[in-house]
CSV table of all heavy atoms in Angstrom, one decimal:
chain,number,residue,atom,x,y,z
A,171,GLU,N,190.3,-33.9,27.9
A,171,GLU,CA,191.5,-34.5,27.4
A,171,GLU,C,192.3,-33.5,26.5
A,171,GLU,O,193.5,-33.4,26.6
A,171,GLU,CB,191.3,-35.8,26.6
A,171,GLU,CG,190.7,-37.0,27.5
A,171,GLU,CD,191.8,-37.4,28.6
A,171,GLU,OE1,193.0,-37.1,28.4
A,171,GLU,OE2,191.4,-38.2,29.5
A,172,GLU,N,191.5,-32.8,25.7
A,172,GLU,CA,192.1,-31.8,24.8
A,172,GLU,C,192.7,-30.7,25.7
A,172,GLU,O,193.8,-30.1,25.4
A,172,GLU,CB,191.1,-31.1,23.9
A,172,GLU,CG,190.6,-32.0,22.8
A,172,GLU,CD,189.5,-31.3,22.0
A,172,GLU,OE1,189.9,-30.3,21.3
A,172,GLU,OE2,188.4,-31.8,22.0
A,173,ALA,N,192.0,-30.3,26.7
A,173,ALA,CA,192.5,-29.2,27.6
A,173,ALA,C,193.8,-29.6,28.3
A,173,ALA,O,194.7,-28.8,28.4
A,173,ALA,CB,191.4,-28.9,28.7
A,174,VAL,N,193.8,-30.8,28.8
A,174,VAL,CA,195.0,-31.3,29.5
A,174,VAL,C,196.2,-31.3,28.6
A,174,VAL,O,197.3,-30.9,28.9
A,174,VAL,CB,194.8,-32.7,30.1
A,174,VAL,CG1,196.1,-33.3,30.5
A,174,VAL,CG2,193.8,-32.6,31.3
A,175,GLU,N,196.0,-31.8,27.3
A,175,GLU,CA,197.1,-31.8,26.4
A,175,GLU,C,197.6,-30.4,26.1
A,175,GLU,O,198.8,-30.1,26.0
A,175,GLU,CB,196.7,-32.5,25.1
A,175,GLU,CG,196.7,-34.0,25.2
A,175,GLU,CD,198.0,-34.6,25.7
A,175,GLU,OE1,199.1,-34.3,25.2
A,175,GLU,OE2,198.0,-35.3,26.8
A,176,MET,N,196.7,-29.4,25.9
A,176,MET,CA,197.0,-28.1,25.6
A,176,MET,C,197.8,-27.5,26.8
A,176,MET,O,198.8,-26.8,26.6
A,176,MET,CB,195.8,-27.2,25.4
A,176,MET,CG,196.1,-25.8,25.0
A,176,MET,SD,194.7,-24.9,24.4
A,176,MET,CE,194.6,-25.5,22.7
A,177,LEU,N,197.4,-27.8,28.0
A,177,LEU,CA,198.1,-27.3,29.2
A,177,LEU,C,199.5,-27.9,29.3
A,177,LEU,O,200.5,-27.2,29.7
A,177,LEU,CB,197.3,-27.6,30.5
A,177,LEU,CG,196.0,-26.7,30.7
A,177,LEU,CD1,195.2,-27.3,31.8
A,177,LEU,CD2,196.3,-25.3,30.9
A,178,LYS,N,199.6,-29.2,29.1
A,178,LYS,CA,200.9,-29.8,29.1
A,178,LYS,C,201.9,-29.2,28.1
A,178,LYS,O,203.1,-29.0,28.4
A,178,LYS,CB,200.8,-31.3,28.9
A,178,LYS,CG,200.2,-32.1,30.0
A,178,LYS,CD,200.1,-33.6,29.7
A,178,LYS,CE,199.6,-34.4,30.8
A,178,LYS,NZ,199.5,-35.9,30.5
A,179,ASN,N,201.4,-28.9,26.9
A,179,ASN,CA,202.2,-28.3,25.9
A,179,ASN,C,202.6,-26.9,26.2
A,179,ASN,O,203.5,-26.3,25.5
A,179,ASN,CB,201.5,-28.4,24.5
A,179,ASN,CG,201.4,-29.9,24.1
A,179,ASN,OD1,202.2,-30.7,24.4
A,179,ASN,ND2,200.4,-30.2,23.3
A,180,SER,N,201.9,-26.3,27.1
A,180,SER,CA,202.2,-24.9,27.4
A,180,SER,C,202.7,-24.7,28.9
A,180,SER,O,202.7,-23.6,29.4
A,180,SER,CB,200.9,-24.0,27.3
A,180,SER,OG,200.3,-24.2,26.0
A,181,ASN,N,203.1,-25.8,29.5
A,181,ASN,CA,203.4,-25.8,30.9
A,181,ASN,C,204.8,-25.3,31.2
A,181,ASN,O,205.7,-26.0,31.8
A,181,ASN,CB,203.2,-27.2,31.5
A,181,ASN,CG,203.2,-27.2,33.0
A,181,ASN,OD1,202.8,-26.2,33.6
A,181,ASN,ND2,203.5,-28.3,33.6
A,182,VAL,N,205.1,-24.1,30.7
A,182,VAL,CA,206.5,-23.5,30.9
A,182,VAL,C,206.8,-23.3,32.4
A,182,VAL,O,206.0,-22.6,33.1
A,182,VAL,CB,206.6,-22.2,30.1
A,182,VAL,CG1,208.0,-21.6,30.3
A,182,VAL,CG2,206.3,-22.4,28.7
A,183,GLY,N,207.9,-23.9,32.9
A,183,GLY,CA,208.2,-23.7,34.3
A,183,GLY,C,207.2,-24.2,35.3
A,183,GLY,O,207.2,-23.7,36.4
A,184,GLY,N,206.4,-25.1,34.8
A,184,GLY,CA,205.4,-25.7,35.7
A,184,GLY,C,204.2,-24.7,36.0
A,184,GLY,O,203.5,-24.9,37.0
A,185,LEU,N,204.0,-23.7,35.1
A,185,LEU,CA,203.0,-22.7,35.3
A,185,LEU,C,201.6,-23.3,35.5
A,185,LEU,O,200.8,-22.8,36.3
A,185,LEU,CB,203.0,-21.8,34.0
A,185,LEU,CG,201.9,-20.7,34.0
A,185,LEU,CD1,202.1,-19.7,35.1
A,185,LEU,CD2,201.9,-20.0,32.6
A,186,TYR,N,201.3,-24.4,34.8
A,186,TYR,CA,200.0,-25.0,34.8
A,186,TYR,C,199.9,-26.3,35.6
A,186,TYR,O,198.9,-27.1,35.4
A,186,TYR,CB,199.5,-25.2,33.4
A,186,TYR,CG,199.3,-23.9,32.7
A,186,TYR,CD1,199.7,-23.7,31.4
A,186,TYR,CD2,198.6,-22.8,33.3
A,186,TYR,CE1,199.6,-22.5,30.7
A,186,TYR,CE2,198.4,-21.6,32.6
A,186,TYR,CZ,198.9,-21.5,31.3
A,186,TYR,OH,198.7,-20.3,30.6
A,187,ASP,N,200.9,-26.6,36.4
A,187,ASP,CA,200.9,-27.9,37.2
A,187,ASP,C,199.6,-28.0,38.0
A,187,ASP,O,199.0,-29.1,37.9
A,187,ASP,CB,202.1,-27.9,38.2
A,187,ASP,CG,203.4,-28.3,37.5
A,187,ASP,OD1,203.3,-28.9,36.4
A,187,ASP,OD2,204.4,-28.0,38.0
A,188,ASN,N,199.2,-27.0,38.6
A,188,ASN,CA,198.0,-27.1,39.5
A,188,ASN,C,196.7,-27.3,38.6
A,188,ASN,O,195.9,-28.1,39.0
A,188,ASN,CB,197.8,-25.9,40.4
A,188,ASN,CG,197.7,-24.6,39.6
A,188,ASN,OD1,198.0,-24.5,38.4
A,188,ASN,ND2,197.1,-23.6,40.2
A,189,ARG,N,196.6,-26.7,37.5
A,189,ARG,CA,195.4,-26.8,36.6
A,189,ARG,C,195.4,-28.2,36.0
A,189,ARG,O,194.4,-28.8,35.8
A,189,ARG,CB,195.4,-25.7,35.6
A,189,ARG,CG,195.0,-24.3,36.3
A,189,ARG,CD,195.5,-23.1,35.5
A,189,ARG,NE,194.6,-22.8,34.4
A,189,ARG,CZ,194.8,-21.8,33.6
A,189,ARG,NH1,195.8,-20.9,33.9
A,189,ARG,NH2,194.0,-21.5,32.6
A,190,ILE,N,196.6,-28.7,35.6
A,190,ILE,CA,196.7,-30.0,35.0
A,190,ILE,C,196.2,-31.0,36.0
A,190,ILE,O,195.4,-31.9,35.8
A,190,ILE,CB,198.1,-30.3,34.5
A,190,ILE,CG1,198.4,-29.4,33.3
A,190,ILE,CG2,198.2,-31.8,34.0
A,190,ILE,CD1,199.9,-29.4,32.9
A,191,GLY,N,196.8,-30.9,37.3
A,191,GLY,CA,196.4,-31.8,38.3
A,191,GLY,C,194.9,-31.8,38.6
A,191,GLY,O,194.3,-32.9,38.8
A,192,LEU,N,194.4,-30.6,38.7
A,192,LEU,CA,192.9,-30.5,38.9
A,192,LEU,C,192.1,-31.1,37.8
A,192,LEU,O,191.2,-31.9,38.1
A,192,LEU,CB,192.6,-29.0,39.1
A,192,LEU,CG,191.1,-28.7,39.3
A,192,LEU,CD1,190.6,-29.4,40.6
A,192,LEU,CD2,190.9,-27.2,39.4
A,193,ALA,N,192.5,-30.8,36.6
A,193,ALA,CA,191.7,-31.4,35.4
A,193,ALA,C,191.8,-32.9,35.4
A,193,ALA,O,190.9,-33.6,35.1
A,193,ALA,CB,192.3,-30.8,34.1
A,194,LEU,N,193.0,-33.4,35.6
A,194,LEU,CA,193.2,-34.9,35.6
A,194,LEU,C,192.4,-35.6,36.7
A,194,LEU,O,191.8,-36.6,36.5
A,194,LEU,CB,194.7,-35.2,35.8
A,194,LEU,CG,195.6,-35.0,34.6
A,194,LEU,CD1,197.1,-35.2,34.9
A,194,LEU,CD2,195.2,-36.0,33.4
A,195,SER,N,192.3,-34.9,37.9
A,195,SER,CA,191.6,-35.5,39.0
A,195,SER,C,190.1,-35.4,38.9
A,195,SER,O,189.3,-36.3,39.1
A,195,SER,CB,192.1,-35.0,40.3
A,195,SER,OG,191.9,-33.6,40.4
A,196,ALA,N,189.7,-34.1,38.5
A,196,ALA,CA,188.2,-33.8,38.5
A,196,ALA,C,187.5,-34.2,37.2
A,196,ALA,O,186.4,-34.8,37.3
A,196,ALA,CB,188.0,-32.3,38.8
A,197,ASP,N,188.2,-33.9,36.1
A,197,ASP,CA,187.5,-34.1,34.8
A,197,ASP,C,187.8,-35.4,34.2
A,197,ASP,O,187.0,-36.0,33.5
A,197,ASP,CB,187.9,-32.9,33.9
A,197,ASP,CG,187.4,-31.6,34.4
A,197,ASP,OD1,186.2,-31.3,34.3
A,197,ASP,OD2,188.3,-30.9,35.0
A,198,CYS,N,189.1,-35.9,34.3
A,198,CYS,CA,189.5,-37.1,33.7
A,198,CYS,C,189.5,-38.3,34.6
A,198,CYS,O,189.6,-39.4,34.1
A,198,CYS,CB,190.9,-36.9,33.1
A,198,CYS,SG,191.1,-35.6,31.9
A,199,LYS,N,189.3,-38.1,35.9
A,199,LYS,CA,189.2,-39.1,36.9
A,199,LYS,C,190.5,-40.0,36.8
A,199,LYS,O,190.4,-41.2,37.0
A,199,LYS,CB,188.0,-40.0,36.6
A,199,LYS,CG,186.7,-39.3,36.5
A,199,LYS,CD,186.3,-38.4,37.7
A,199,LYS,CE,185.0,-37.7,37.5
A,199,LYS,NZ,184.7,-36.7,38.6
Side-chain angles (χ1 to χ4, degrees):
E171 294 294 346
E172 291 178 65
V174 167
E175 283 308 305
M176 181 170 284
L177 289 171
K178 285 182 177 179
N179 291 332
S180 305
N181 195 27
V182 180
L185 177 65
Y186 295 133
D187 280 339
N188 59 341
R189 288 157 79 176
I190 295 170
L192 178 61
L194 285 170
S195 61
D197 299 282
C198 302
K199 311 300 181 187

